[in-house]
Amino acid sequence: MSNNYLVGTSGWYYYNWKDLFYPKELRSADWLNHYCKHLKTTEINNSFYALPSLNSLKKWYQDTPDNFVFSLKAWNLITHKEKLKNS
């Protein structure tokens, strides 16, 4: 059994984290880069409502280290409306 654990949060783009986790002078465009220096994974919540754009996915990939892990929340059409049928 492996003892490797990844610690992260459900997203990283929260204005109320400014001055608490993100330095006051840090631009919001740089929050993901800062987040990656402290945590190794995050959940993408907006994928529950709509799939992220290809441009967003590329930018997140470029802005994170190779060992960073994204978890995408399953689309609500699959989980709530279709209740996993024909998925």
Side-chain angles (χ1 to χ4, degrees):
M1 175 187 241
S2 174
N3 288 328
N4 294 323
Y5 298 96
L6 298 176
V7 176
T9 62
S10 183
W12 70 90
Y13 202 86
Y14 298 105
Y15 286 106
N16 60 337
W17 288 11
K18 193 160 184 118
D19 296 331
L20 297 171
F21 180 71
Y22 298 120
K24 186 176 188 173
E25 68 281 354
L26 190 66
R27 296 176 322 126
S28 60
D30 297 322
W31 288 358
L32 179 56
N33 182 272
H34 179 82
Y35 178 98
C36 292
K37 293 176 183 172
H38 303 279
L39 299 161
K40 303 296 180 201
T41 187
T42 192
E43 178 186 36
I44 304 299
N45 284 320
N46 69 332
S47 57
F48 183 73
Y49 304 101
L51 294 177
S53 70
L54 184 56
N55 286 340
S56 291
L57 294 170
K58 285 180 181 179
K59 180 166 179 13
W60 297 339
Y61 178 78
Q62 292 168 351
D63 288 351
T64 56
D66 290 341
N67 63 343
F68 192 80
V69 176
F70 289 96
S71 298
L72 276 73
K73 189 178 272 191
W75 188 25
N76 70 25
L77 176 67
I78 296 169
T79 60
H80 288 65
K81 294 175 183 162
E82 295 292 328
K83 300 188 190 258
L84 304 177
K85 294 177 187 163
N86 303 317
S87 298

